[in-house]
Structure formats: structure tokens, C-alpha cells
Amino acid sequence: MKAQGTVHKYGNNVDTDVIIPARYLNTSSHSELAAHCMEDIDSDFIKNVKAGDIMVAAKNFGCGSSREHAPIAIKASGISCVIASSFARIFYRNAINIGLAILECEEAANDIKTGDEVSVDFDTGVIKNLTTSKTYNAEPFPDFIQNIIQKGGLLNSISERL
Amino acid sequence: MSMTMTQKILAAHAGLVEVKAGQLIEAKLDMVLGNDITSPVAINEFEKSGASMVFDKSRISLVMDHFTPNKDIKAAEQVKRVRAFAGKYDIDNYYDVGDMGIEHALLPEKGLVGPGDCIIGADSHTCTYGALGAFSTGVGSTDMAAGMATGKTWFKVPAAIRVEIVGKKPKFVSGKDVILHLIGEIGVDGALYRSLEFTGDGLKNLSIDDRLCISNMAIEAGAKNGIFPVDEITLEYVKDRFQRESVIYSADEDAEWESTVTIDLSTLRPTVAFPHLPENTKTVDECGVVKIDQVVIGSCTNGRLSDLQAAAEIMKGKKVALAVRCIVIPATQKIYLEAMREGLLEIFIESGAAVSTPTCGPCLGGHMGILAAGERAVATTNRNFVGRMGHVDSEVYLASPEVAAASAITGYITDPAKV
Ligand code: SF4
């Protein structure tokens, strides 16, 4: 699995209330959620994002409310991968469970800037900044997570047991 | 092999003799929870997976609390979907308008969760039940769907931070001040992926309501769970209430603690978290003059009877400041009824506050008290993120019911000792 795209960069403690504000949680339609993704901290995000783009943030990305609507909104907006110094744990679970690729890499998260072109290889954890030609190594997914993602999410991975 | 309390509960539910921090396990669940926002997403996933039954209809709780009584047509459609699911699978614990409460106040009150349980909920504040000596953590809707279908989920066993509580609380200091102080010390990611395990001599000075409030906000330090040992105070609370058998686990003396934080209750002051993070704490003495437009007393953090009693004691015979809207929301129907019988609601209404049926409402900027641009609220809730209670340019200050009540009277953030 690989991804490549232009970077949208954010800071520390991006919480799920700003990823998708509660006022829009009266729907579970993916496209409606995506239309409001990040709007409270970056009202241009939705106008600028292109399919395949990459989101980069500092520490504790996705903290706060457990709403799965947050990774869903990010994924539905076209983002192919989120790279951060660290993720809040419920967001981390949710992203895996719905099949949004995420990688923890502090160095990459510090260096990479908005507008950079970045490629990611999920099998090896290698992140390349094509704009600056720098390479970073993130921890690749452990096996059990690879398995969930390969099967297309948690529910598919358990459905053989149902 | 020594283990923390959390590790022992996880080992037992995974059918293992021992577990270590970092280990991936599959654990059996005693309760799976969802609300009106997260359940519809879980139900979609459940149905897509081809599941045809739930693992145990008595171990699923569906609580319609966030946007209820339905704030708009979309919210009504969501609740309708959950109600139909609850009917189809004959779910025992479906709670809707009239018998509901805010989930994390309701489940302990009804005895649906208790000591030794392993619980997941599609709501981040599911960590609240750690107060009763359960392992309990928030997950997403997909986890909830898988949990409803299989009665199991995967966990990575957490390392632990020990929080040693000593001393006795001074007047006007409550569980809220303990947890705000702790988050101020360690930060909103200070316990990321880890357990917070509370120990120490001072625990005997923390009531169940104090503990529920403290465990509730463990997530605000990034923790996976926040757990208290089971003692006489716990057993007294769960007696005649908990629907299953209590199982008591305790941490080994020599369990591995990643770090230890000590809190001396006697040194705490009423504490306020400034916008826009729960870690931006100041004692009430350091706040300066912060004028406010709204006060909200309620939520799964501080909407319990003792919280309303504390607020009423301060507001009795006084008037809410002219420029302030004060909204009081008992967390469950039972609390509402008891508050009415005790005359607390009368005190609030006579002081000029609005009293509402239980709902999450303004806590998440849902309804029943949304802030306009530039407005400020003191709230007994647990989050003060950008836009949490309304407009992105509004501000939320987190505090105890005592500070919130005192501030409602004066119109600015106020030390309860001064009204
Ligand atoms: S009261 Fe607030 S924090 Fe608690 S469950 Fe409701 S929305 Fe969440």
C-alpha cells in the first residue's frame, strides 16, 4: 500500500471537535461530514483538498470525543494518510477500524510543511518528502493491524467469525 | 509476575494468567455502550457485517442523551434508527426521553456497570466507570458494532501511571478540582495510551461522585482508563444496585509504574481550566476578572445530585447576575426527581436559573445553551475545545459546581468562599 499527495499541516492537539464539529453530527452521511471537515480551524481545507492528499500534524492528533465521524470525515475528504508525532488513542483505533491510514513519526511531523509533496509506503513505514528530498522511517503497522486494514476494516476482519 | 489493577482485569477477561504492557489481547466484554450519535454509525456497520444477532441483549446499553429530546429532524431520525434496532434485537437497556439520563451518570446509577467489569462504550467518557473499579474505556462506533456482535474486542495492554492521593479536601474543593489539577500538571497527552491508577490514603476522603468525576476526565489527560481500587465506599454504592457479582481486583505492591504523581488534597484550591484546553488550569485566585455570559451546571462530569446540592447551597436566596444565563441540567431522571423533592430545583428557579430535563445539550454545543461569538461560559463539563459549546469565537471555562454557582451570582469567575 502506498500514498502520495500534497500536505495540509496542523499543530498540536487537533481535537475531534474541530475535525468535525458536533453541530454536524446529526448525520452519518460521509459526504456531508467531509463537507465540514476542519472548518473551525481551516475553512479553506475543504476547498483546497484533492484526492490523495496527506494530512500532517504534531502531537496528540484526534484527541477528545470518540466520534468515528472524525476519521470518516478526513477519509471522505480525500485524505489518503495522516502523519503525526502522536495520535490520541481512540482516534488511532477508529482510523484503523475504518481503514484510514495513519503513521506516527515525530521527525517527519516536525519537518514537513504545508504544500510539500510527500509519498508514504505503508509496508515499510518509509515517508519521503519529494519537495525537500528527505526520507523518514516510521514504525510500519504491526501484523494484526495490517490484517484489519487488508480485510478492509474491523468488521470485515471479524465477519468470518459471525 | 506483578500487574496493575487494569492489567489484572484485562488478563482475567482475556483468559490469561498474566499480561504485560504492550501486549495485544482479545478480551470478553461485560457491557457495550452507545449513544444517539455513535450508535447509528455502529448499527450501519453491524448490519453491513452480516451479523444476525447480538452477543447478549442484557449487556448492551443504548442511551439517547446527546441531542434529546430530539433537537431537529435529523436527530429524530437517528434516534428512530436506534429505537428500531433496540426493538429488533430486544435490547434490555434502551433508554429514551422520559427514563433516560446522560449515559455515564445513568449506567452506574442503574447498576449496569460495577467492580471488575470490562466495558467498552462508543463515547470517550466511558472511562467514568473506572471509579467503580472496572476497566472501562471509550472506543469508536466500529468497535461498538464488533463488540455487539461478538462480545469481545482487542486491546493493547496499557502501561500505568500511579496517582497517589493523600490528605483531606478543604471546603469548596471537589473531585473536579483534583482532576483539573492533575491534567494541569501532566497535560492533555500526559497519560496518552496509559492507565491512570489512583491509590493512597486520601482516597477515603473522596466520595463516589468525586471519583466518578475524576475517572470521567481521565481521557482529558489522554488516558485509556482511570481506575480506583474497590473499597468500602465503592461497595456501599454498588450494594443493592449492581446487577451482577462484584469482582475485586487490586494492583500488586510491586506492579510496574511508569511514573508516580502525588496529589495532596489539602493543598488544592478551586481550579479553573481556561480556553481552549483542559490543561490550561489556574486556581481561582489566579483568574483575575473574567466576565461571563453563561453558566452550565450539569453533564456526565458534574450533573449528579451532590453537584446540584453543592450549587444550590451557594445559590440559595441569591440571584443570578443580570447579564448571565444560568442553565442547570440534572444528569438523570432520578437525580431530577430527587433534586425536586429536596427543593433544589426551587432554589435554582427562584435564583433565576433555567432547569432542563436531562440531556448532554450544551456540553457538546448540541442544543439548549449554544454560545454566540465572543461569549464566555463557565461550565461544569469536561471539554473547552474551540467551538465546543457553540461559535468558534466563544470560550468555555471548566470548573466545579461550586465555582460555577458562585460565578453565576457575580457574573465573573468567582471563588465560592466569596459569595
Ligand atoms: S455530557 Fe458531554 S461529555 Fe458527557 S456524554 Fe454528554 S456530551 Fe459527552
Side-chain angles (χ1 to χ4, degrees):
Chain A
M1 249 169 71
K2 286 192 171 62
Q4 184 175 329
T6 308
V7 166
H8 303 259
K9 171 107 185 238
Y10 302 96
N12 286 326
N13 303 314
V14 172
D15 61 81
T16 54
D17 274 281
V18 303
I19 296 172
I20 181 72
R23 57 185 180 276
Y24 303 119
L25 296 184
N26 53 6
T27 176
S28 47
S29 147
H30 293 194
S31 57
E32 274 181 60
L33 291 170
H36 300 290
C37 188
M38 310 303 280
E39 77 176 25
D40 283 356
I41 53 165
D42 181 2
S43 51
D44 291 332
F45 171 75
I46 257 323
K47 279 181 244 155
N48 296 338
V49 67
K50 299 180 305 298
D53 279 1
I54 290 173
M55 195 177 273
V56 178
K59 58 176 193 165
N60 204 24
F61 185 86
C63 62
S65 145
S66 66
R67 62 191 68 158
E68 206 157 290
H69 312 68
I72 289 173
I74 293 174
K75 192 178 176 202
S77 75
I79 290 288
S80 61
C81 172
V82 186
I83 301 169
S85 308
S86 64
F87 291 91
R89 59 160 286 277
I90 301 180
F91 184 91
Y92 187 90
R93 277 186 91 92
N94 288 347
I96 290 163
N97 287 341
I98 65 141
L100 170 66
I102 54 174
L103 279 181
E104 266 181 355
C105 182
E106 193 168 349
E107 220 195 327
N110 287 339
D111 284 4
I112 296 172
K113 297 190 174 58
T114 290
D116 286 358
E117 189 71 11
V118 165
S119 78
V120 179
D121 182 329
F122 299 109
D123 301 324
T124 59
V126 172
I127 301 168
K128 279 193 192 134
N129 188 338
L130 307 171
T131 308
T132 63
S133 310
K134 266 191 94 171
T135 298
Y136 309 89
N137 290 306
E139 198 60 38
F141 294 126
D143 283 352
F144 86 102
I145 291 180
Q146 293 257 27
N147 181 45
I148 293 174
I149 292 177
Q150 264 162 23
K151 296 231 165 83
L154 179 67
L155 263 306
N156 292 336
S157 80
I158 63 156
S159 61
E160 46 206 61
R161 286 196 262 147
L162 294 177
Chain B
M1 170 78 198
S2 359
M3 291 188 279
T4 64
M5 184 173 173
T6 298
Q7 290 165 353
K8 284 192 183 169
I9 298 177
L10 288 175
H13 285 79
L16 299 170
V17 181
E18 59 173 47
V19 296
K20 282 197 188 76
Q23 188 176 340
L24 287 164
I25 57 158
E26 189 176 57
K28 276 198 190 151
L29 299 169
D30 295 302
M31 185 55 72
V32 177
L33 162 72
N35 59 47
D36 51 324
I37 291 181
T38 56
S39 303
V41 181
I43 291 167
N44 283 345
E45 293 299 319
F46 182 90
E47 288 179 347
K48 267 197 294 184
S49 78
S52 56
M53 39 190 251
V54 296
F55 82 107
D56 184 340
K57 72 188 188 68
S58 70
R59 290 174 187 249
I60 293 171
S61 296
L62 302 172
V63 186
M64 305 300 98
D65 55 358
H66 280 61
F67 292 155
T68 56
N70 301 329
K71 75 155 178 157
D72 57 18
I73 294 167
K74 283 182 172 172
E77 296 290 343
Q78 283 189 304
V79 172
K80 187 176 163 194
R81 176 119 175 81
V82 183
R83 188 183 302 115
F85 177 85
K88 179 171 172 191
Y89 294 100
D90 196 21
I91 304 295
D92 294 348
N93 311 304
Y94 172 78
Y95 296 103
D96 205 339
V97 172
D99 65 352
M100 55 71 81
I102 299 173
E103 49 196 327
H104 310 307
L106 192 70
L107 266 58
E109 178 189 289
K110 296 259 181 212
L112 292 169
V113 290
D117 272 358
C118 178
I119 304 154
I120 60 167
D123 189 279
S124 57
H125 293 103
T126 303
C127 51
T128 307
Y129 321 130
L132 305 179
F135 172 80
S136 188
T137 193
V139 296
S141 296
T142 300
D143 282 309
M144 177 190 169
M148 289 196 298
T150 64
K152 291 180 191 159
T153 198
W154 62 270
F155 293 115
K156 194 166 179 178
V157 177
I161 297 176
R162 176 166 58 173
V163 183
E164 195 172 7
I165 307 270
V166 299
K168 221 178 147 189
K169 291 178 300 179
K171 192 167 162 68
F172 298 127
V173 165
S174 69
K176 187 60 160 285
D177 304 300
V178 177
I179 188 65
L180 287 177
H181 171 82
L182 178 64
I183 297 165
E185 290 285 300
I186 67 174
V188 292
D189 62 349
L192 197 58
Y193 305 126
R194 303 184 192 76
S195 307
L196 287 173
E197 296 211 357
F198 297 91
T199 64
D201 231 21
L203 292 186
K204 62 178 185 294
N205 302 317
L206 293 176
S207 69
I208 275 292
D209 286 2
D210 285 322
R211 298 176 190 191
L212 287 163
C213 172
I214 292 169
S215 289
N216 177 269
M217 288 189 73
I219 175 80
E220 260 60 68
K224 182 171 201 139
N225 67 321
I227 196 166
F228 281 81
V230 177
D231 62 8
E232 280 162 26
I233 296 173
T234 329
L235 293 174
E236 178 60 31
Y237 178 80
V238 298
K239 193 176 77 183
D240 306 326
R241 185 190 298 262
F242 185 32
Q243 300 179 2
R244 290 180 304 265
E245 198 66 28
S246 292
V247 186
I248 301 174
Y249 297 89
S250 47
D252 290 318
E253 282 295 323
D254 55 347
E256 209 177 302
W257 306 107
E258 208 179 74
S259 58
T260 298
V261 184
T262 304
I263 297 179
D264 181 350
L265 297 176
S266 67
T267 63
L268 296 185
R269 291 282 299 143
T271 301
V272 179
F274 275 48
H276 290 285
L277 280 177
E279 71 183 21
N280 295 336
T281 55
K282 295 183 194 213
T283 67
V284 73
D285 320 293
E286 302 162 341
C287 287
V289 181
V290 181
K291 287 193 68 181
I292 54 167
D293 306 282
Q294 179 166 299
V295 166
V296 174
I297 299 172
S299 85
C300 60
T301 319
N302 284 122
R304 298 186 179 80
L305 191 65
S306 59
D307 299 314
L308 302 185
Q309 287 165 338
E313 199 182 308
I314 289 165
M315 292 170 72
K316 187 167 189 179
K318 302 196 181 69
K319 287 279 177 210
V320 170
L322 256 188
V324 175
R325 291 121 33 201
C326 179
I327 302 165
V328 181
I329 310 179
T332 67
Q333 287 284 94
K334 183 157 184 258
I335 296 167
Y336 198 11
L337 191 60
E338 282 171 13
M340 189 185 81
R341 289 187 177 139
E342 284 187 16
L344 307 179
L345 304 187
E346 210 172 309
I347 293 173
F348 294 130
I349 293 170
E350 281 182 344
S351 75
V355 180
S356 150
T357 192
T359 182
C360 293
C363 172
L364 80 163
H367 62 155
M368 299 289 299
I370 306 300
L371 299 173
E375 288 191 329
R376 294 196 183 115
V378 172
T380 67
T381 56
N382 47 37
R383 291 199 170 125
N384 56 355
F385 302 150
V386 171
R388 175 75 179 178
M389 199 173 275
H391 197 279
V392 291
D393 296 326
S394 62
E395 295 181 344
V396 178
Y397 295 74
L398 305 175
S400 67
E402 289 87 341
V403 171
S407 307
I409 302 299
T410 60
Y412 54 91
I413 295 178
T414 299
D415 180 350
K418 297 202 173 130
V419 294

